[in-house]
Amino acid sequence: MTLTHTSAGSAARRPRGAARQSRAGMAFVAAYVILLIAFGVLPTAYAVYFAFTDAGGTFTGISNFLTTGHDFRFMGAVSHIAVYLVFWLASLVVFVVGLALLLHRLASGTAGKALRFLYYIPGALAGAASVLVWLFMLDPTVSPVSSLLSALGFHTFGEVIAPGNLPVLFTIIAFWTGAGGWIVVMYGALNNIPTDVMEAARIDGANAWQTAWRVQIPMLRKWIVYMVILAFAGGAQLFVEPQLLSLASVGVAGRDYSLNQLTYDFAFQMNNINGAAAVSVELLVVSVSAAAVFVARSGFFDAE
Amino acid sequence: MTLNKPPAAQERVPSRRRSALLAGCAASVVMLTVAGCSGGSATGTTVKDGFAQAAQKDGALTVWVDATRLDAAKLYQKLHPDVKMDIVTYDGDANGSNYLQTKVQLFNRTGKGWPDVVFSSQNNEATWAVDAGFAAPLNKGLISSMTLAEFAKGANDVCTVNGTVYCLRNDLSQAVLWYNAPLLKKFGYTVPTTWEEYQQLGEKVAKEHPGYLVGDAGDSFTPEIYLWASKCGANHITGPKSVSVNTTSENCTKMAKLMDVLIKDKAMSVSGVFSTDFGKNEADKVLLMPGPAWYGSALFQGTFKTPAKQIAAAPIPQWKGDPSPTTGNVGGGTWLLSQHSAHIKAATDFLKWVTTDKAYQGSKAPGFPAYAPAADTWLNAQSTAGYFSGDLSALKDASSQVWPGWGSGQFSQEAIWAATVKPGLTQGKSIVSMLPAWQDAITKYAESDGYKVSK
């Protein structure tokens, strides 16, 4: 009797619990959706509206896109960003995955814990502050690694920030400030690989390199794609690094190195908010298209 | 510089589109913050003193200053305790940060927030501030013609658009030849009076006292010191939206050649005077240094901490046989009064005081006052302060010798030089070889800002 009664009671409670859970889930999702609409969708829609209108709000078709596209700085900024993205994405994929694998092998020891902590430190610094740290690192007069810079043939800040060096410098700064977090994410993903899979690889005689190349990296594929999508979007919007370097070098690094800097110049230097919006929309389209290609090619949303 | 388009705050947005915008604003916090919904109503305005003035109200006078001009605002407050003031410090647009322009663009959209009076360290603020409907005309009733006439000759040219004065110059930044008097005497040299002598002395210093410097070519304002003084027509603003650019004329190339020789000899540095490496390695090696008036206290006394009684000022050299002495100019701040001010009387009083009163300009100001009567008082104060070796009369002579063929356009000459020529200098390229690239860059930036460019 008691058992039956209990069963009936729990059966009656379960739907109520499920409903509560569902309501809680909805509340969490609703908060996110509201913020997404307020700070993501509406500003984007506003930018699109600006991109196709003039200062008076009249529809102008693609004229803002043509005006900004014909600006003499536009193609320069596009090529700067393209070169930077090649350096940034390549170094991110190779070093983040490599360091995460290394960290995973050392995970059990004290060295692993220390490394995890070390990798995460740069990510704890705010973006602009991290770049400021690098402004000191790159100035041979005050840099703690001035002997290294000197050995590489750099004796003044001006020599270090020569235009040809900028893609590499921005890559180093961005890697240092952003890669630590990704290494920790990849490390978490490596921990999720079932132990029996790793066990099977070891029994089959796979060495460390073969395990990494044939088992771990393929199983990290979706995480790598996720990282590349976000890094591509972030890299295409390069702004803080060149802007601060430009101020620190009093213009030598250029105020219009990246597309986002050019957007800023259009908006606030040339009083052309609509042109600025057009360049922003182009960046959005490129980032979303690249993400779509990566997602489609990688089967990112395929169910396991 | 003309009003090619209506000021943003006064643009009439079609009503249907305005409704759409308002609906969007109501829907989003973002819209409220970024775009603003107030629309900058022009109701209650009265046309007076040459512009539509906002309804005048009581309340605090908002003044934006940089850290250096904070003393000026504080002194005014101390001397005028009855005036309510809200003093805000910002970067003063130093290094072409464009902070003021950025904020004004946003205030124009939100319809509020403009400061009543603002100081800027940049000379070209009027070129955009007039188009943006921010700067109020000053010679249409606010500032008397008698006061304006007492500014140094040409001082307010950078503030004048189509004959209307839109800002007042704070200080002049005429270039002179700074030198270390005891060191020059010790080496047995005399101050050069021509550029030819200057070059010969530089070559001599390179041989006899290697490491010592006769100048610096590493700053973004290098062309304003050397090429402007040489009457190089790289930046001749010929009309509101037209500029003549010719960087390969003889006046440009002969100065560029002189600099190339001295850079090669290492008698002229290619590090900027404010760079860390110059401060560490070269600051105590300065024998001569052509530079603006503010070098005296800001650079030698402030940054380099050169001891007293060493630094003296001489007239900038001239090319041999040139009958008309000229010099260049590096900066010199300006004060602007907002068209949107609701405290125009108080704002005008402050503006007039800060630019002309001897209590600040004559005694406390760090730079050479643009207002001539205050400049005399300032020069006396500098002499009695005892830092400089000899008097600073060279500054007074130079104040009326700034070559008028170099203007203040909307595009930044300093930014163009820094991005185009400076990297090449660092890599060992000669300035002469980079003159065509410099011309090309100026032309492109000017055209991009809507200027018609001629050669």
Side-chain angles (χ1 to χ4, degrees), chain A residues 38-39 42-43 46 50 55-57 71-73 139 141 156 158-159 162-163 250-252 255-256 264 268-271 273, chain B residues 5 11 14 17 21 28 30-31 35 96 98 101-102 105 109 220 276-277 280 410 418-419 422-423 426-427 444-445 448-449:
Chain A
F39 295 104
L42 282 176
Y46 201 41
F50 268 162
D71 189 278
F72 75 100
R73 294 166 290 185
D139 187 340
T141 320
T156 64
E159 287 171 359
V250 201
V252 172
R255 297 175 47 96
D256 36 36
Y264 186 76
F268 298 118
Q269 169 86 25
M270 299 160 71
N271 194 16
I273 300 268
Chain B
K5 46 188 177 244
E11 279 167 10
R17 297 189 187 281
L21 270 178
S28 162
V30 180
M31 300 291 178
N98 284 334
Q101 188 177 1
T102 306
Q105 309 278 18
R109 288 184 175 268
S220 55
T276 47
D277 46 283
K280 190 179 172 191
Q410 200 163 345
K422 177 89 199 286
T426 310
Q427 289 162 8
K444 282 175 173 166
Y445 276 96
S448 175
D449 272 322

Short mmCIF file of all heavy atoms in Angstrom, two decimals, chain A residues 38-39 42-43 46 50 55-57 71-73 139 141 156 158-159 162-163 250-252 255-256 264 268-271 273, chain B residues 5 11 14 17 21 28 30-31 35 96 98 101-102 105 109 220 276-277 280 410 418-419 422-423 426-427 444-445 448-449:
data_model
loop_
_atom_site.label_atom_id
_atom_site.label_comp_id
_atom_site.label_asym_id
_atom_site.label_seq_id
_atom_site.Cartn_x
_atom_site.Cartn_y
_atom_site.Cartn_z
N ALA A 38 19.00 43.18 -27.16
CA ALA A 38 19.33 44.57 -26.83
C ALA A 38 20.74 44.95 -27.27
O ALA A 38 20.96 46.03 -27.81
CB ALA A 38 19.17 44.78 -25.33
N PHE A 39 21.68 44.06 -27.05
CA PHE A 39 23.08 44.44 -27.29
C PHE A 39 23.69 43.78 -28.52
O PHE A 39 24.84 44.03 -28.84
CB PHE A 39 23.93 44.12 -26.06
CG PHE A 39 23.55 44.94 -24.87
CD1 PHE A 39 22.81 44.38 -23.84
CD2 PHE A 39 23.88 46.28 -24.79
CE1 PHE A 39 22.42 45.15 -22.75
CE2 PHE A 39 23.50 47.06 -23.71
CZ PHE A 39 22.77 46.49 -22.68
N LEU A 42 19.68 44.34 -32.12
CA LEU A 42 19.25 45.71 -32.44
C LEU A 42 20.40 46.60 -32.91
O LEU A 42 20.25 47.30 -33.92
CB LEU A 42 18.51 46.33 -31.25
CG LEU A 42 17.06 45.85 -31.09
CD1 LEU A 42 16.43 46.43 -29.84
CD2 LEU A 42 16.23 46.22 -32.31
N PRO A 43 21.54 46.62 -32.22
CA PRO A 43 22.64 47.43 -32.75
C PRO A 43 23.06 47.01 -34.15
O PRO A 43 23.40 47.84 -34.99
CB PRO A 43 23.77 47.20 -31.74
CG PRO A 43 23.08 46.82 -30.49
CD PRO A 43 21.87 46.06 -30.91
N TYR A 46 20.59 48.33 -36.50
CA TYR A 46 20.80 49.78 -36.59
C TYR A 46 21.98 50.08 -37.51
O TYR A 46 21.93 51.02 -38.33
CB TYR A 46 21.07 50.31 -35.18
CG TYR A 46 20.81 51.79 -34.99
CD1 TYR A 46 19.70 52.41 -35.55
CD2 TYR A 46 21.67 52.56 -34.21
CE1 TYR A 46 19.47 53.76 -35.35
CE2 TYR A 46 21.44 53.91 -34.01
CZ TYR A 46 20.34 54.51 -34.59
OH TYR A 46 20.12 55.84 -34.39
N PHE A 50 22.01 52.16 -41.00
CA PHE A 50 22.95 53.24 -41.29
C PHE A 50 23.71 52.99 -42.59
O PHE A 50 23.97 53.90 -43.36
CB PHE A 50 23.96 53.37 -40.15
CG PHE A 50 23.56 54.36 -39.08
CD1 PHE A 50 24.17 54.33 -37.84
CD2 PHE A 50 22.60 55.31 -39.32
CE1 PHE A 50 23.81 55.23 -36.84
CE2 PHE A 50 22.22 56.22 -38.34
CZ PHE A 50 22.83 56.18 -37.11
N ALA A 55 23.19 60.65 -44.05
CA ALA A 55 23.07 61.33 -42.76
C ALA A 55 21.64 61.78 -42.48
O ALA A 55 21.23 61.87 -41.32
CB ALA A 55 24.01 62.53 -42.70
N GLY A 56 20.89 62.03 -43.55
CA GLY A 56 19.50 62.47 -43.36
C GLY A 56 18.51 61.33 -43.28
O GLY A 56 17.31 61.55 -43.16
N GLY A 57 19.00 60.09 -43.41
CA GLY A 57 18.12 58.93 -43.30
C GLY A 57 17.53 58.49 -44.63
O GLY A 57 16.64 57.64 -44.68
N ASP A 71 37.96 54.29 -50.98
CA ASP A 71 38.91 55.05 -50.17
C ASP A 71 40.30 54.41 -50.29
O ASP A 71 40.42 53.17 -50.25
CB ASP A 71 38.48 55.07 -48.71
CG ASP A 71 39.30 56.04 -47.88
OD1 ASP A 71 40.42 55.64 -47.46
OD2 ASP A 71 38.86 57.16 -47.68
N PHE A 72 41.32 55.24 -50.42
CA PHE A 72 42.66 54.69 -50.70
C PHE A 72 43.20 53.82 -49.58
O PHE A 72 44.10 53.03 -49.77
CB PHE A 72 43.64 55.82 -51.02
CG PHE A 72 44.10 56.61 -49.82
CD1 PHE A 72 45.34 56.34 -49.24
CD2 PHE A 72 43.30 57.59 -49.25
CE1 PHE A 72 45.77 57.06 -48.13
CE2 PHE A 72 43.73 58.30 -48.15
CZ PHE A 72 44.95 58.04 -47.58
N ARG A 73 42.61 53.94 -48.37
CA ARG A 73 43.12 53.15 -47.26
C ARG A 73 42.46 51.79 -47.15
O ARG A 73 42.93 50.92 -46.43
CB ARG A 73 42.87 53.92 -45.95
CG ARG A 73 43.67 55.18 -45.85
CD ARG A 73 43.16 56.06 -44.75
NE ARG A 73 41.85 56.61 -45.08
CZ ARG A 73 41.21 57.49 -44.35
NH1 ARG A 73 41.72 57.90 -43.22
NH2 ARG A 73 40.04 57.97 -44.72
N ASP A 139 59.85 47.90 -26.26
CA ASP A 139 60.73 49.08 -26.29
C ASP A 139 62.09 48.70 -25.71
O ASP A 139 62.22 48.49 -24.50
CB ASP A 139 60.09 50.20 -25.46
CG ASP A 139 60.86 51.51 -25.58
OD1 ASP A 139 62.05 51.45 -25.96
OD2 ASP A 139 60.28 52.57 -25.31
N THR A 141 64.59 50.19 -24.81
CA THR A 141 65.15 51.02 -23.74
C THR A 141 64.67 50.58 -22.37
O THR A 141 65.39 50.69 -21.39
CB THR A 141 64.75 52.49 -23.95
OG1 THR A 141 64.84 52.78 -25.33
CG2 THR A 141 65.65 53.42 -23.18
N THR A 156 65.97 50.41 -31.07
CA THR A 156 65.02 51.47 -30.70
C THR A 156 63.59 50.96 -30.93
O THR A 156 63.37 50.01 -31.69
CB THR A 156 65.21 52.75 -31.55
OG1 THR A 156 64.93 52.43 -32.91
CG2 THR A 156 66.62 53.30 -31.41
N GLY A 158 61.34 52.42 -32.53
CA GLY A 158 61.01 52.66 -33.94
C GLY A 158 61.40 51.48 -34.83
O GLY A 158 60.68 51.12 -35.75
N GLU A 159 62.55 50.88 -34.54
CA GLU A 159 63.00 49.73 -35.34
C GLU A 159 62.08 48.52 -35.10
O GLU A 159 61.78 47.76 -36.01
CB GLU A 159 64.44 49.36 -34.97
CG GLU A 159 65.47 50.36 -35.48
CD GLU A 159 66.87 50.11 -34.92
OE1 GLU A 159 67.04 49.17 -34.11
OE2 GLU A 159 67.76 50.88 -35.27
N ALA A 162 58.60 48.67 -37.03
CA ALA A 162 58.62 48.92 -38.48
C ALA A 162 57.40 48.24 -39.10
O ALA A 162 56.98 47.18 -38.64
CB ALA A 162 59.90 48.36 -39.07
N PRO A 163 56.81 48.85 -40.14
CA PRO A 163 55.56 48.33 -40.70
C PRO A 163 55.59 46.83 -41.03
O PRO A 163 54.60 46.13 -40.80
CB PRO A 163 55.37 49.16 -41.97
CG PRO A 163 56.06 50.44 -41.67
CD PRO A 163 57.22 50.10 -40.80
N VAL A 250 53.33 57.53 -31.68
CA VAL A 250 52.92 58.83 -32.22
C VAL A 250 52.71 58.75 -33.73
O VAL A 250 53.24 59.54 -34.50
CB VAL A 250 53.91 59.94 -31.85
CG1 VAL A 250 53.27 61.32 -31.94
CG2 VAL A 250 54.44 59.78 -30.44
N GLY A 251 51.93 57.76 -34.12
CA GLY A 251 51.48 57.69 -35.51
C GLY A 251 52.29 56.81 -36.44
O GLY A 251 51.86 56.54 -37.55
N VAL A 252 53.47 56.34 -35.99
CA VAL A 252 54.30 55.54 -36.90
C VAL A 252 53.56 54.27 -37.31
O VAL A 252 53.59 53.86 -38.47
CB VAL A 252 55.65 55.19 -36.24
CG1 VAL A 252 56.43 54.21 -37.09
CG2 VAL A 252 56.46 56.46 -36.03
N ARG A 255 47.20 55.18 -38.07
CA ARG A 255 45.89 55.21 -37.43
C ARG A 255 44.87 54.38 -38.20
O ARG A 255 43.74 54.23 -37.79
CB ARG A 255 45.36 56.65 -37.40
CG ARG A 255 46.16 57.63 -36.62
CD ARG A 255 45.55 59.01 -36.83
NE ARG A 255 44.11 58.91 -36.67
CZ ARG A 255 43.49 59.19 -35.55
NH1 ARG A 255 44.15 59.57 -34.51
NH2 ARG A 255 42.18 59.09 -35.47
N ASP A 256 45.26 53.92 -39.39
CA ASP A 256 44.30 53.23 -40.25
C ASP A 256 44.85 51.88 -40.70
O ASP A 256 44.67 51.48 -41.82
CB ASP A 256 43.95 54.11 -41.45
CG ASP A 256 45.14 54.91 -41.94
OD1 ASP A 256 46.26 54.37 -41.89
OD2 ASP A 256 44.95 56.06 -42.37
N TYR A 264 36.54 53.53 -37.41
CA TYR A 264 36.58 54.56 -36.36
C TYR A 264 36.91 55.92 -36.97
O TYR A 264 36.31 56.94 -36.62
CB TYR A 264 37.64 54.14 -35.34
CG TYR A 264 37.73 54.99 -34.10
CD1 TYR A 264 36.79 54.90 -33.09
CD2 TYR A 264 38.78 55.88 -33.94
CE1 TYR A 264 36.89 55.67 -31.94
CE2 TYR A 264 38.89 56.66 -32.80
CZ TYR A 264 37.94 56.55 -31.80
OH TYR A 264 38.04 57.31 -30.68
N PHE A 268 34.47 59.14 -36.77
CA PHE A 268 34.78 60.26 -35.89
C PHE A 268 35.80 61.25 -36.44
O PHE A 268 35.96 62.33 -35.91
CB PHE A 268 35.25 59.72 -34.54
CG PHE A 268 34.18 58.92 -33.86
CD1 PHE A 268 34.36 57.59 -33.57
CD2 PHE A 268 32.97 59.51 -33.54
CE1 PHE A 268 33.36 56.85 -32.96
CE2 PHE A 268 31.96 58.78 -32.93
CZ PHE A 268 32.16 57.44 -32.64
N GLN A 269 36.54 60.87 -37.47
CA GLN A 269 37.50 61.80 -38.06
C GLN A 269 36.84 62.48 -39.25
O GLN A 269 37.01 63.66 -39.48
CB GLN A 269 38.75 61.03 -38.50
CG GLN A 269 39.72 61.80 -39.36
CD GLN A 269 40.69 62.61 -38.53
OE1 GLN A 269 40.96 62.27 -37.39
NE2 GLN A 269 41.22 63.67 -39.09
N MET A 270 36.09 61.69 -40.03
CA MET A 270 35.54 62.23 -41.27
C MET A 270 34.03 62.47 -41.18
O MET A 270 33.39 62.78 -42.17
CB MET A 270 35.86 61.28 -42.43
CG MET A 270 37.36 61.12 -42.64
SD MET A 270 37.78 59.65 -43.56
CE MET A 270 37.20 60.12 -45.16
N ASN A 271 33.47 62.28 -39.99
CA ASN A 271 32.05 62.52 -39.76
C ASN A 271 31.17 61.74 -40.74
O ASN A 271 30.20 62.24 -41.28
CB ASN A 271 31.75 64.02 -39.87
CG ASN A 271 30.38 64.36 -39.31
OD1 ASN A 271 29.78 63.55 -38.60
ND2 ASN A 271 29.86 65.53 -39.65
N ILE A 273 29.40 58.52 -40.38
CA ILE A 273 28.92 57.37 -39.60
C ILE A 273 28.37 56.30 -40.53
O ILE A 273 28.54 55.11 -40.30
CB ILE A 273 27.81 57.82 -38.62
CG1 ILE A 273 28.35 58.88 -37.66
CG2 ILE A 273 27.20 56.64 -37.88
CD1 ILE A 273 28.91 58.41 -36.38
N LYS B 5 27.99 70.90 -45.48
CA LYS B 5 26.78 70.16 -45.12
C LYS B 5 26.23 70.78 -43.84
O LYS B 5 26.97 71.38 -43.08
CB LYS B 5 27.10 68.68 -44.91
CG LYS B 5 28.32 68.43 -44.08
CD LYS B 5 28.64 66.97 -44.12
CE LYS B 5 29.91 66.70 -43.34
NZ LYS B 5 31.01 66.24 -44.03
N GLU B 11 20.33 68.94 -38.51
CA GLU B 11 19.78 68.24 -39.66
C GLU B 11 18.32 67.90 -39.42
O GLU B 11 17.94 67.48 -38.34
CB GLU B 11 20.55 66.94 -39.89
CG GLU B 11 21.84 67.19 -40.63
CD GLU B 11 22.73 65.98 -40.58
OE1 GLU B 11 22.26 64.92 -40.15
OE2 GLU B 11 23.87 66.11 -41.01
N PRO B 14 13.59 63.35 -41.94
CA PRO B 14 12.20 63.23 -42.36
C PRO B 14 11.35 62.58 -41.27
O PRO B 14 11.80 61.68 -40.57
CB PRO B 14 12.28 62.30 -43.59
CG PRO B 14 13.67 62.50 -44.10
CD PRO B 14 14.51 62.80 -42.91
N ARG B 17 10.90 58.76 -40.96
CA ARG B 17 12.12 58.08 -40.52
C ARG B 17 12.40 58.40 -39.06
O ARG B 17 12.89 57.59 -38.30
CB ARG B 17 13.29 58.50 -41.39
CG ARG B 17 13.07 58.07 -42.80
CD ARG B 17 14.29 58.26 -43.67
NE ARG B 17 13.96 57.97 -45.04
CZ ARG B 17 13.85 56.76 -45.54
NH1 ARG B 17 14.05 55.72 -44.77
NH2 ARG B 17 13.55 56.58 -46.80
N LEU B 21 12.96 55.88 -36.01
CA LEU B 21 14.10 55.98 -35.10
C LEU B 21 13.63 56.02 -33.66
O LEU B 21 14.17 55.35 -32.79
CB LEU B 21 14.88 57.26 -35.39
CG LEU B 21 15.99 57.14 -36.41
CD1 LEU B 21 16.62 58.50 -36.62
CD2 LEU B 21 17.05 56.15 -35.96
N SER B 28 14.92 49.86 -27.23
CA SER B 28 16.23 49.36 -26.83
C SER B 28 17.01 50.35 -25.98
O SER B 28 17.09 51.51 -26.27
CB SER B 28 17.02 49.04 -28.10
OG SER B 28 18.37 48.94 -27.80
N VAL B 30 20.10 50.20 -25.78
CA VAL B 30 21.26 50.51 -26.62
C VAL B 30 21.02 51.76 -27.43
O VAL B 30 21.87 52.64 -27.52
CB VAL B 30 21.55 49.34 -27.58
CG1 VAL B 30 22.74 49.66 -28.45
CG2 VAL B 30 21.77 48.10 -26.79
N MET B 31 19.82 51.81 -27.98
CA MET B 31 19.49 52.98 -28.79
C MET B 31 19.55 54.24 -27.95
O MET B 31 20.01 55.28 -28.39
CB MET B 31 18.08 52.83 -29.36
CG MET B 31 17.89 51.62 -30.21
SD MET B 31 18.80 51.78 -31.74
CE MET B 31 18.45 50.23 -32.49
N ALA B 35 22.40 56.08 -29.72
CA ALA B 35 21.85 57.01 -30.70
C ALA B 35 21.22 58.22 -30.05
O ALA B 35 21.32 59.32 -30.55
CB ALA B 35 20.80 56.28 -31.51
N GLY B 96 46.95 64.08 -31.56
CA GLY B 96 45.87 63.85 -32.53
C GLY B 96 44.90 62.78 -32.11
O GLY B 96 44.44 61.99 -32.93
N ASN B 98 41.90 63.04 -31.28
CA ASN B 98 40.55 63.31 -31.79
C ASN B 98 39.45 63.09 -30.77
O ASN B 98 38.31 62.87 -31.13
CB ASN B 98 40.24 62.42 -33.02
CG ASN B 98 40.94 62.93 -34.23
OD1 ASN B 98 41.23 64.12 -34.32
ND2 ASN B 98 41.22 62.04 -35.16
N GLN B 101 36.63 65.75 -31.07
CA GLN B 101 35.81 65.56 -32.26
C GLN B 101 34.88 64.36 -32.09
O GLN B 101 33.70 64.41 -32.43
CB GLN B 101 36.71 65.36 -33.49
CG GLN B 101 35.93 65.35 -34.79
CD GLN B 101 36.82 65.23 -36.01
OE1 GLN B 101 38.03 65.13 -35.89
NE2 GLN B 101 36.24 65.23 -37.17
N THR B 102 35.44 63.28 -31.54
CA THR B 102 34.66 62.07 -31.32
C THR B 102 33.46 62.37 -30.41
O THR B 102 32.33 61.98 -30.70
CB THR B 102 35.54 61.00 -30.65
OG1 THR B 102 36.70 60.81 -31.43
CG2 THR B 102 34.81 59.69 -30.51
N GLN B 105 30.80 64.60 -32.06
CA GLN B 105 29.94 63.84 -33.00
C GLN B 105 28.84 63.12 -32.22
O GLN B 105 27.69 63.07 -32.66
CB GLN B 105 30.75 62.77 -33.75
CG GLN B 105 32.00 63.26 -34.42
CD GLN B 105 31.74 63.90 -35.76
OE1 GLN B 105 30.62 64.28 -36.05
NE2 GLN B 105 32.77 64.03 -36.57
N ARG B 109 24.59 63.87 -31.84
CA ARG B 109 23.54 62.87 -32.02
C ARG B 109 22.60 62.81 -30.83
O ARG B 109 21.40 62.64 -30.99
CB ARG B 109 24.15 61.49 -32.27
CG ARG B 109 24.76 61.44 -33.64
CD ARG B 109 25.31 60.09 -34.01
NE ARG B 109 25.73 60.21 -35.40
CZ ARG B 109 24.96 59.90 -36.44
NH1 ARG B 109 23.78 59.41 -36.25
NH2 ARG B 109 25.42 60.06 -37.66
N SER B 220 57.04 63.41 -35.11
CA SER B 220 56.01 63.56 -36.14
C SER B 220 55.90 65.02 -36.58
O SER B 220 55.42 65.31 -37.66
CB SER B 220 54.67 63.06 -35.61
OG SER B 220 54.34 63.73 -34.43
N THR B 276 61.71 57.16 -25.31
CA THR B 276 62.50 56.70 -24.15
C THR B 276 63.98 56.64 -24.49
O THR B 276 64.83 56.95 -23.66
CB THR B 276 62.01 55.33 -23.68
OG1 THR B 276 61.89 54.48 -24.81
CG2 THR B 276 60.69 55.42 -22.94
N ASP B 277 64.31 56.22 -25.72
CA ASP B 277 65.73 56.08 -26.05
C ASP B 277 66.43 57.43 -26.16
O ASP B 277 67.58 57.57 -25.81
CB ASP B 277 65.99 55.20 -27.29
CG ASP B 277 65.11 55.53 -28.45
OD1 ASP B 277 63.94 55.12 -28.42
OD2 ASP B 277 65.58 56.20 -29.37
N LYS B 280 67.05 58.61 -22.60
CA LYS B 280 68.07 57.84 -21.90
C LYS B 280 69.47 58.08 -22.47
O LYS B 280 70.44 58.22 -21.72
CB LYS B 280 67.72 56.35 -22.03
CG LYS B 280 68.56 55.45 -21.14
CD LYS B 280 68.13 54.01 -21.32
CE LYS B 280 69.07 53.06 -20.60
NZ LYS B 280 68.81 51.68 -20.97
N GLN B 410 42.25 69.87 -42.31
CA GLN B 410 41.54 68.89 -41.50
C GLN B 410 42.36 67.62 -41.32
O GLN B 410 42.28 66.96 -40.30
CB GLN B 410 40.21 68.56 -42.18
CG GLN B 410 39.20 67.95 -41.24
CD GLN B 410 37.81 68.01 -41.80
OE1 GLN B 410 37.52 68.73 -42.75
NE2 GLN B 410 36.91 67.25 -41.22
N ALA B 418 54.44 60.86 -39.82
CA ALA B 418 54.78 59.76 -38.92
C ALA B 418 54.60 58.41 -39.60
O ALA B 418 55.41 57.51 -39.44
CB ALA B 418 53.92 59.82 -37.66
N ALA B 419 53.51 58.27 -40.38
CA ALA B 419 53.23 56.97 -40.99
C ALA B 419 53.99 56.78 -42.30
O ALA B 419 54.26 55.64 -42.70
CB ALA B 419 51.73 56.85 -41.24
N LYS B 422 58.62 58.59 -41.32
CA LYS B 422 59.35 58.14 -40.13
C LYS B 422 59.82 56.69 -40.22
O LYS B 422 60.98 56.40 -39.91
CB LYS B 422 58.47 58.37 -38.88
CG LYS B 422 59.06 57.90 -37.57
CD LYS B 422 59.91 58.96 -36.90
CE LYS B 422 60.86 58.38 -35.85
NZ LYS B 422 60.23 57.98 -34.62
N PRO B 423 58.97 55.74 -40.67
CA PRO B 423 59.47 54.36 -40.75
C PRO B 423 60.66 54.24 -41.70
O PRO B 423 61.60 53.49 -41.44
CB PRO B 423 58.27 53.57 -41.27
CG PRO B 423 57.08 54.40 -40.91
CD PRO B 423 57.54 55.82 -41.02
N THR B 426 63.85 55.42 -40.03
CA THR B 426 64.34 54.40 -39.10
C THR B 426 65.10 53.32 -39.86
O THR B 426 66.08 52.77 -39.37
CB THR B 426 63.14 53.77 -38.35
OG1 THR B 426 62.34 54.81 -37.83
CG2 THR B 426 63.62 52.89 -37.21
N GLN B 427 64.63 53.04 -41.10
CA GLN B 427 65.29 51.99 -41.89
C GLN B 427 66.49 52.52 -42.68
O GLN B 427 67.08 51.79 -43.46
CB GLN B 427 64.28 51.38 -42.86
CG GLN B 427 63.24 50.51 -42.18
CD GLN B 427 62.03 50.26 -43.05
OE1 GLN B 427 62.02 50.61 -44.24
NE2 GLN B 427 61.00 49.69 -42.47
N LYS B 444 46.56 62.02 -51.02
CA LYS B 444 45.49 61.03 -50.79
C LYS B 444 44.67 61.37 -49.54
O LYS B 444 43.45 61.30 -49.55
CB LYS B 444 46.08 59.63 -50.66
CG LYS B 444 46.46 59.03 -52.00
CD LYS B 444 47.14 57.72 -51.81
CE LYS B 444 47.38 57.03 -53.14
NZ LYS B 444 48.33 55.94 -53.01
N TYR B 445 45.36 61.71 -48.46
CA TYR B 445 44.63 62.04 -47.23
C TYR B 445 43.79 63.30 -47.41
O TYR B 445 42.65 63.37 -46.94
CB TYR B 445 45.59 62.21 -46.04
CG TYR B 445 45.95 60.90 -45.38
CD1 TYR B 445 47.11 60.22 -45.72
CD2 TYR B 445 45.10 60.33 -44.44
CE1 TYR B 445 47.43 59.01 -45.12
CE2 TYR B 445 45.42 59.13 -43.84
CZ TYR B 445 46.58 58.48 -44.19
OH TYR B 445 46.88 57.27 -43.60
N SER B 448 40.80 62.50 -49.50
CA SER B 448 39.88 61.70 -48.72
C SER B 448 39.04 62.56 -47.78
O SER B 448 37.90 62.24 -47.46
CB SER B 448 40.69 60.67 -47.94
OG SER B 448 39.89 59.94 -47.11
N ASP B 449 39.61 63.69 -47.34
CA ASP B 449 38.88 64.61 -46.47
C ASP B 449 38.13 65.66 -47.29
O ASP B 449 37.64 66.66 -46.73
CB ASP B 449 39.85 65.31 -45.50
CG ASP B 449 40.04 64.51 -44.23
OD1 ASP B 449 39.05 63.92 -43.75
OD2 ASP B 449 41.17 64.45 -43.71
#
